[in-house]
Amino acid sequence: MRDVSPGEVLRQVRRADPVLLGAAVLVATLGFPVRLWRWRSLLRASDGAALPAVPLWHALAIGFMANNLLPLRTGEVIRGWVAARLTATGFTTALASLAAERIFDALLLVLLLVVAVPAARLPADLAVAGVPVTRMAAGGAVVGAVVLVAALAVLLFPLAFERLVRRLVPRAALADRLVALIEGARQGLAVLRSPGRTAAVTVQSLAFWLFNAASFWLAFLAFDIPVGFWAAVLLQSVLAFGIAIPSTPGFIGPFEAVIVAVLAIFAVPGDLAFSYAIAYHLLTFVPITLLGLLSLSRTSLGLGDLQRRAAA
């Protein structure tokens, strides 16, 4: 908030179009059912059958609520734990499905970032907060590729990994536990074994991120920020990488900083950019948090269970 006038921020928020801003929040919130659609393709029962949608929705909503209220992206672990509690799947398998989700996200966001820079008519040497976008895209691609190769190795060579674990870990009980973790990870990454399911998840991931970009674009219109849809695609791609490192509850601070830095590229004044960022963040924060609390009330779990899981 350096050099940002609180009075000017309040003025900008008040003059924003409430209908367009409401539409942006609605579209952002409807992105969560799209996430559920994709997660049901990634996380399956041991026999390959699709898991019921309602328990997985509860797990997803509770996980994102926890991300908003707890630091260090704790909601990711809680999401996997709730899914394991409410469905016929293991905790490790659920976490592995979330890892697969992140692989698809990283690779697709890199692709969208590479497309968005020329589509938004920005220079090829564009930098955000001093970091070249090309380096950001390359880093994301490398991380995504390394994780993908590691996941495929675990999936394709389970016996080799089991032998390696038993050779390196002298204690039989610990080795058995690690082998069980590897087996759970294999089940959660099984989507990578099927070209059809991999293609389906790729399409679902693309649908989600384009849907999500539409919410940023609608909020641009609400604040009369004169940038197009591809600027929204660029913004969300950079933002996803910018808040990837575990930080504050709800990513408060990093979220706004990335948006202000990206909009500075388009010569959007700092007051207006921060007004957009804080309004969008706050208004999209509320619905999924309330939906998560509602889901929590519909299960046998409580806030104390989540806090104990987060501390474990």
Side-chain angles (χ1 to χ4, degrees):
M1 294 185 64
R2 183 181 302 164
D3 300 326
V4 172
S5 165
E8 180 63 17
V9 168
L10 185 60
R11 189 184 73 82
Q12 295 286 358
V13 172
R14 283 177 172 173
R15 67 181 291 271
D17 187 315
V19 175
L20 286 171
L21 198 52
V25 174
L26 177 62
V27 170
T29 305
L30 290 176
F32 290 99
V34 180
R35 281 185 179 270
L36 175 65
W37 176 41
R38 177 178 65 170
W39 198 21
R40 291 192 74 204
S41 296
L42 285 167
L43 181 58
R44 298 295 183 99
S46 57
D47 60 358
L51 294 170
V54 172
L56 282 187
W57 167 256
H58 289 327
L60 186 146
I62 291 170
F64 277 92
M65 174 203 70
N67 265 345
N68 284 345
L69 301 179
L70 300 172
L72 305 177
R73 298 186 78 101
T74 310
E76 299 295 310
V77 176
I78 287 175
R79 180 177 159 192
W81 176 72
V82 174
R85 288 284 300 269
L86 301 182
T87 66
T89 189
F91 177 50
T92 306
T93 301
L95 285 184
S97 73
L98 299 184
E101 191 176 270
R102 293 295 167 264
I103 293 170
F104 282 96
D105 284 344
L107 296 177
L108 271 171
L109 284 169
V110 166
L111 174 63
L112 288 172
L113 187 60
V114 170
V115 172
V117 170
R121 299 180 180 178
L122 294 170
D125 59 350
L126 172 69
V128 176
V131 180
V133 168
T134 52
R135 184 189 302 172
M136 195 179 301
V142 168
V143 171
V146 168
V147 175
L148 178 61
V149 169
L152 288 172
V154 171
L155 188 64
L156 298 175
F157 306 106
L159 293 180
F161 272 86
E162 180 178 346
R163 286 195 294 267
L164 180 62
V165 168
R166 295 195 182 281
R167 184 176 301 172
L168 295 177
V169 180
R171 293 176 55 190
L174 180 58
D176 289 341
R177 185 173 181 181
L178 291 174
V179 169
L181 289 174
I182 292 174
E183 180 57 30
R186 285 184 65 242
Q187 293 182 25
L189 297 169
V191 64
L192 300 175
R193 188 185 295 134
S194 167
R197 282 176 63 194
T198 298
V201 172
T202 301
V203 170
Q204 291 162 346
S205 299
L206 182 61
F208 167 73
W209 286 112
L210 291 177
F211 203 78
N212 196 61
S215 73
F216 283 103
W217 176 65
L218 286 168
F220 284 157
L221 297 179
F223 278 85
D224 197 23
I225 295 177
V227 295
F229 177 76
W230 285 106
V233 174
L234 173 69
L235 171 61
Q236 75 161 5
S237 299
V238 176
L239 182 62
F241 289 120
I243 63 175
I245 298 174
S247 59
T248 57
F251 319 112
I252 295 172
F255 190 98
E256 286 76 16
V258 171
I259 289 180
V260 170
V262 171
L263 290 182
I265 298 166
F266 297 92
V268 176
D271 289 336
L272 178 57
F274 184 80
S275 303
Y276 169 92
I278 196 68
Y280 181 90
H281 195 183
L282 177 62
L283 292 174
T284 56
F285 175 102
V286 172
I288 191 58
T289 303
L290 295 178
L291 288 169
L293 290 171
L294 178 62
S295 285
L296 192 62
S297 72
R298 297 290 181 87
T299 70
S300 60
L301 305 174
L303 287 173
D305 296 313
L306 302 188
Q307 290 172 340
R308 285 189 290 273
R309 178 69 258 180

